[in-house]
Every structure is written in structure tokens, then in C-alpha cells.
Amino acid sequence: MTITYQVKSAVYVNLTNRCPCSCTFCLRQNGPSVYGSNSLWLEREPSIEEVIASLGKWDYSVFHEVVYCGYGEPTERLDVLLASAKWLKEHHPDIHVRVNTNGLADLIAGEPTEARFAGLVDTLSISLNTSDPEEYLAVCRPKFGAAAYPAMLHFAETAKQYVPEVVMTIVSEPVTTPEVQAKCRAICERLGVRLRIRRYESK
Ligand code: SF4
């Protein structure tokens, strides 16, 4: 099963297929893999030993970044994520560690999680998706309901105390309008985090 895989010059980590959301645009609906990887559907969730063994097979003189992403929400396995990031920091201290997340770690864990990322994760990339809580609910369909959008914003704002770079992402036109992009930019300015508008890629 595919625990780690290559995307351009980064090593991506696939910890779980679980996710509290069911986004209408989720890539998982398009097929079992991305960027030529083998299937990202896991037979079972890998142990910490298996994750470290898989991370350890890459040549980090070639790869500059490890990204926790995969076919699920990586913070569903926060203990394994952080333990393997700790291994990376101890064995490959120059490697940049990023987590691509829906920002719902606190709701998943049922407690604040932001401080746990300190010293282990360099960038949190959080999917903002939209400026409108109602639209977020309709598009991301989180199992936490209306609590999800404000919890995601709170996670971003709080995490910046512990993580050097917190980025919130949306997709460019036609997924978002310039008006929505401006509102998202205002949200990020208020939270003190950076907005990244990802280029829309039609299939
Ligand atoms: S949060 Fe990510 S993994 Fe989860 S459903 Fe949405 S796009 Fe898919």
C-alpha cells in the first residue's frame, strides 16, 4: 500500500483515508491516485513504524519537502503525524515539513491541538475554500456541521503562534469569484495568516 509517494520534488505522506468532510470537489472521487502514484486507498492505516520505514527510504538530498496530505485528512492520525514529523526533524533537520489540512484538527481530537505542532511542522496549509460559512457547509459537508467553519478559522489563528507559516488556500476563478477572493483575503488579514490562491486546473 502507498504510505509515501512523490509529487514533483516533495515526498507526500498518506496516513489515512478518513476525513470528517465530504467535499463535492474531493480528488478522491476522480480515481485511486494522483500524480502517477499507486493507489492511495489504504488496505489499513499504517503503524508509526511503517510510516517511518516508508519515510526512511527516500533520498533527502534530492527531496526538499515532506507533505502530509494523501487520500484523507492527516490530522485524523495526529499522533502518528507528529511522531513521524519528530523522526524527520531528528534525522533530516533540513527537510521542510508541511501539513495540508482541512483545519478541523481540534474538532477531530475534541480538544485544542495547535501547540502540539510546535517545532515539528514548518507550514500548515489550511483549506479555506470560501468566505461564506453557509457555502462551506454545502460544499465541504463536514460531519461537525455549522461548528466546522468557525473552528477552522480559530485553528488557523491559534496555530500561527506555534507554526512558522500558516497559509489558507482557495482555488482561483472560476471556482471563486474576485469578490469571494477579496473577502477571503480580508479574513486572512484579520486572522494574521497568508492567503494562497491555487490555480484552477480543469480536468
Ligand atoms: S477535506 Fe480534503 S480529503 Fe476531506 S473530503 Fe475534503 S477534499 Fe477530500
Side-chain angles (χ1 to χ4, degrees):
M1 61 183 181
T2 307
I3 303 172
T4 56
Y5 55 104
Q6 178 181 352
V7 177
K8 298 174 186 165
S9 59
V11 175
Y12 273 53
V13 190
N14 185 35
L15 294 180
T16 182
N17 293 147
R18 286 183 283 151
C19 182
C21 295
S22 179
C23 300
T24 54
F25 54 80
C26 184
L27 283 178
R28 301 185 299 181
Q29 297 163 149
N30 301 344
S33 62
V34 290
Y35 296 105
S37 68
N38 292 325
S39 174
L40 297 177
W41 293 118
L42 294 161
E43 298 154 20
R44 57 182 169 73
E45 292 190 332
S47 67
I48 179 60
E49 291 79 14
E50 288 174 315
V51 173
I52 288 173
S54 188
L55 282 168
K57 74 182 185 187
W58 298 91
D59 176 359
Y60 292 102
S61 65
V62 177
F63 296 98
H64 73 281
E65 187 176 43
V66 168
V67 182
Y68 289 84
C69 184
Y71 257 23
E73 167 51 39
T75 63
E76 283 277 3
R77 301 201 69 208
L78 191 57
D79 288 349
V80 171
L81 189 166
L82 296 176
S84 56
K86 186 167 185 285
W87 180 88
L88 276 168
K89 289 295 176 192
E90 287 169 356
H91 292 81
H92 302 283
D94 294 336
I95 287 290
H96 186 270
V97 176
R98 168 159 56 104
V99 178
N100 289 355
T101 176
N102 56 26
L104 301 181
D106 291 1
L107 291 181
I108 292 168
E111 61 184 12
T113 60
E114 296 86 348
R116 298 183 61 193
F117 293 88
L120 303 175
V121 171
D122 300 298
T123 297
L124 279 172
S125 179
I126 303 168
S127 302
L128 175 59
N129 293 316
T130 175
S131 58
D132 177 29
E134 292 297 323
E135 189 187 355
Y136 179 87
L137 208 51
V139 171
C140 297
R141 302 182 290 192
K143 74 176 187 186
F144 304 111
Y149 191 79
M152 178 256 297
L153 298 185
H154 175 79
F155 177 79
E157 185 173 29
T158 309
K160 74 178 190 225
Q161 297 172 50
Y162 304 102
V163 175
E165 183 180 46
V166 177
V167 183
M168 303 197 89
T169 65
I170 59 174
V171 177
S172 65
E173 292 171 70
V175 176
T176 57
T177 63
E179 184 190 11
V180 168
Q181 292 170 18
K183 286 181 179 174
C184 289
R185 194 174 302 286
I187 288 171
C188 288
E189 281 172 8
R190 178 167 54 79
L191 298 177
V193 302
R194 183 164 73 82
L195 176 69
R196 177 171 167 247
I197 303 178
R198 292 189 290 119
R199 192 164 50 88
Y200 172 72
E201 291 175 23
S202 60
K203 298 180 186 71

